[in-house]
Amino acid sequence: MIRDITEFGAVGDGKTKATAAIQKTIDTVADAGGGTVRVPAGTFLSGSLKLRSHINLHLETGARLVSSLDPADVIDFTKDFDDDNADTGWEGGCFLFARHEEDITISGDGTIDGQGRLAFWDDDADDGFHECPLAVKGFRPRMSFLEDVKKLTVRDVTFEDSAYWTLHLAGCHDVLIENIRILNNERGANNDGIDPDCCKNVVIRGCIIRTGDDCIVVKTTAPMTKKYGPSENIVISGCTMRSRSCALKIGTETWGDIHHIILSDCVLSDCTRGFGIWSRDGGNVSDIMIHHVTGNTRRYADCSKRDSGVHVWWGKGDPVFISATKRAGVDRLPGTISRIFIDHLYMDGEGTSMIAGETYSVIEDVHFSDVVLRLKRQSSHVPDVFDEMPSARGVYPHEIAVLYTRSVKNCTLEGRFEIDDSMKEFCRRQIIQDSSN
């Protein structure tokens, strides 16, 4: 069955809310056993939509589905569970919603617009570089929250200007995300690209992702870990990623285990960090493979004139960041990090690559082979600090190097660790091995 949303009264003028018409189309097709919900060319403004099993939400060329930012139009998906993880930020609701469904597809050449431009203040005067995070204003729903969806497919669509996380996949199984574009404001806070949260059997391939926050974040948040257990068996390949934060990130929410993750054949451009693992909450991270990845990382300006809100980037241009330490003000021990394999990685970075555990959480079995890491200056910022946020260590002055290690057991390094001429006045050592705590 194929039904067009205009059959049920949707008007594509960008002003008339089409929520009821689109939802009626979805329900009609689902009740008939499934099929395609067609969004034709035009701009359709809508509140939250509940996707159902056996539905293909298909956006034709020229179609634009726009999320309302009116709180009255947005589903509060958190009402069914308690949030005991304040760092996750569950408030705000979501635009596209599904829970306990199967065989859902979002497809087509059209665009889903989160209107993030209405959720941030443009305050370039704060830094003088037009680089710092924008100040947050108003209501910011996720673009999607898809929980416990089995056989989920997202292909070809463009997701644009999300006000918060773009694709939040929570407890999903058998997921294919391919050939999509995520084009968010590169100075927007919390506008992650793809967040597999306690998901299993996920393939992400051939995507173009530009975000202010992390491009792809594998995590295990507290509420989802209780329901669905670990994140495992995730393959990311053939993507280009640009971020003011981390291109591929594991953590910081690590309440459950995360294992068997592959990142391959990707290009990372102008990211604050390239690849990072944060162990903070007790879950164990293991069996991670990074290979055939190239690109660069650089430092961006923070904002110094604000009294509140998000105003700093995490990271200082670090190609690799692997960290197991306590959160600030929290006595809970992090979990373990082990069996990390990195090969054919070629990165220019403005900051120090770091493998940093603690005596109470030693990082084990990290192996670099055929790796070229080069310190190269790419901005006007002075390389003078280490950044281990969020943690009790925070940001602190430190001699920089191409690579820094602390509390690491069984680490092998095969490759080149180079200092470009542009960095020689700031850096004297290729590798610093810290035996202190």
Side-chain angles (χ1 to χ4, degrees):
M1 173 183 284
I2 302 175
R3 300 298 296 268
D4 194 299
I5 63 172
T6 59
E7 296 178 46
F8 295 85
V11 177
D13 60 4
K15 301 177 181 178
T16 305
K17 288 183 182 176
T19 315
I22 300 173
Q23 191 63 58
K24 187 173 181 180
T25 313
I26 291 170
D27 294 340
T28 298
V29 174
D31 291 343
T36 299
V37 174
R38 181 176 176 269
V39 182
T43 300
F44 298 90
L45 176 64
S46 176
S48 296
L49 299 169
K50 294 184 179 181
L51 304 182
R52 295 178 56 188
S53 295
H54 313 301
I55 287 292
N56 177 8
L57 179 65
H58 184 78
L59 286 77
E60 296 286 333
T61 300
R64 194 173 192 88
L65 187 58
V66 180
S67 170
S68 170
L69 294 188
D70 183 344
D73 296 334
V74 176
I75 292 173
D76 178 10
F77 62 88
T78 65
K79 64 183 182 298
D80 294 336
F81 62 89
D82 296 327
D83 174 21
D84 56 4
N85 182 8
D87 289 331
T88 305
W90 294 100
E91 72 283 348
C94 67
F95 179 39
L96 301 179
F97 173 76
R99 176 178 281 145
H100 310 317
E101 305 285 351
E102 63 180 353
D103 187 23
I104 290 177
T105 298
I106 302 171
S107 68
D109 295 321
T111 297
I112 300 176
D113 180 355
Q115 295 205 95
R117 56 197 170 277
L118 303 180
F120 299 104
W121 289 108
D122 189 357
D123 54 356
D124 290 335
D126 266 359
D127 63 31
F129 298 102
H130 304 274
E131 291 179 0
C132 78
L134 296 174
V136 173
K137 67 171 182 178
F139 181 66
R140 295 195 301 152
R142 284 164 167 75
M143 190 171 278
S144 67
F145 181 74
L146 307 173
E147 180 184 347
D148 187 31
V149 177
K150 297 176 176 62
K151 194 181 176 185
L152 170 67
T153 302
V154 185
R155 60 163 55 101
D156 302 328
V157 175
T158 295
F159 294 89
E160 183 176 290
D161 204 15
S162 183
Y164 206 80
W165 296 1
T166 308
L167 287 174
H168 186 178
L169 317 175
C172 294
H173 290 244
D174 304 331
V175 177
L176 175 62
I177 299 174
E178 61 179 356
N179 304 330
I180 71 168
R181 297 173 179 86
I182 296 177
L183 309 177
N184 292 339
N185 191 317
E186 292 185 28
R187 293 176 58 203
N190 311 117
N191 61 3
D192 300 8
I194 305 172
D195 292 67
D197 178 3
C198 300
C199 291
K200 297 173 175 60
N201 306 328
V202 178
V203 174
I204 301 169
R205 65 190 181 201
C207 299
I208 298 170
I209 305 174
R210 297 203 302 266
T211 61
D213 217 310
D214 309 304
C215 290
I216 300 175
V217 196
V218 182
K219 58 181 63 186
T220 47
T221 60
M224 296 302 112
T225 297
K226 290 179 181 178
K227 292 183 179 184
Y228 305 111
S231 279
E232 60 188 2
N233 306 339
I234 298 174
V235 177
I236 301 154
S237 66
C239 296
T240 66
M241 294 181 273
R242 177 185 173 102
S243 169
R244 296 289 173 94
S245 292
C246 198
L248 174 64
K249 179 179 178 181
I250 295 175
T252 55
E253 298 94 333
T254 46
W255 294 83
D257 294 349
I258 299 173
H259 58 88
H260 293 97
I261 314 295
I262 296 176
L263 173 72
S264 70
D265 305 293
C266 290
V267 177
L268 320 179
S269 62
D270 290 334
C271 299
T272 304
R273 285 195 171 110
F275 161 71
I277 299 175
W278 283 252
S279 178
R280 295 292 185 267
D281 304 309
N284 301 316
V285 180
S286 67
D287 299 288
I288 312 297
M289 178 174 286
I290 312 295
H291 66 92
H292 293 88
V293 174
T294 190
N296 74 297
T297 55
R298 54 153 295 181
R299 186 169 174 175
Y300 293 92
D302 296 327
C303 294
S304 59
K305 298 180 180 180
R306 295 197 205 130
D307 295 326
S308 62
V310 176
H311 60 279
V312 297
W313 303 113
W314 289 356
K316 297 297 181 281
D318 322 317
V320 177
F321 180 80
I322 303 174
S323 167
T325 190
K326 292 180 181 179
R327 292 185 184 272
V330 176
D331 197 38
R332 179 177 61 250
L333 290 175
T336 63
I337 298 176
S338 63
R339 297 194 298 276
I340 312 299
F341 302 89
I342 302 173
D343 70 88
H344 295 87
L345 175 70
Y346 304 92
M347 296 285 291
D348 287 338
E350 205 166 21
T352 300
S353 289
M354 181 178 294
I355 309 170
E358 306 285 1
T359 54
Y360 54 77
S361 187
V362 175
I363 296 172
E364 298 190 43
D365 295 318
V366 179
H367 305 285
F368 287 74
S369 62
D370 200 357
V371 166
V372 178
L373 295 176
R374 179 173 62 162
L375 268 178
K376 181 180 180 180
R377 197 153 190 213
Q378 299 164 64
S379 75
S380 60
H381 305 295
V382 175
D384 56 358
V385 296
F386 280 1
D387 183 348
E388 297 190 49
M389 292 177 62
S391 76
R393 290 179 178 269
V395 180
Y396 54 94
H398 200 286
E399 175 191 356
I400 67 165
V402 183
L403 178 69
Y404 169 83
T405 66
R406 183 186 70 228
S407 296
V408 182
K409 179 181 178 181
N410 191 22
C411 177
T412 60
L413 305 174
E414 296 178 7
R416 300 204 310 271
F417 301 88
E418 303 175 351
I419 304 170
D420 185 76
D421 288 345
S422 62
M423 293 291 280
K424 286 185 177 178
E425 66 176 296
F426 307 104
C427 178
R428 291 172 294 175
R429 289 193 280 175
Q430 294 175 321
I431 299 173
I432 299 175
Q433 294 178 293
D434 189 349
S435 58
S436 70
N437 190 34

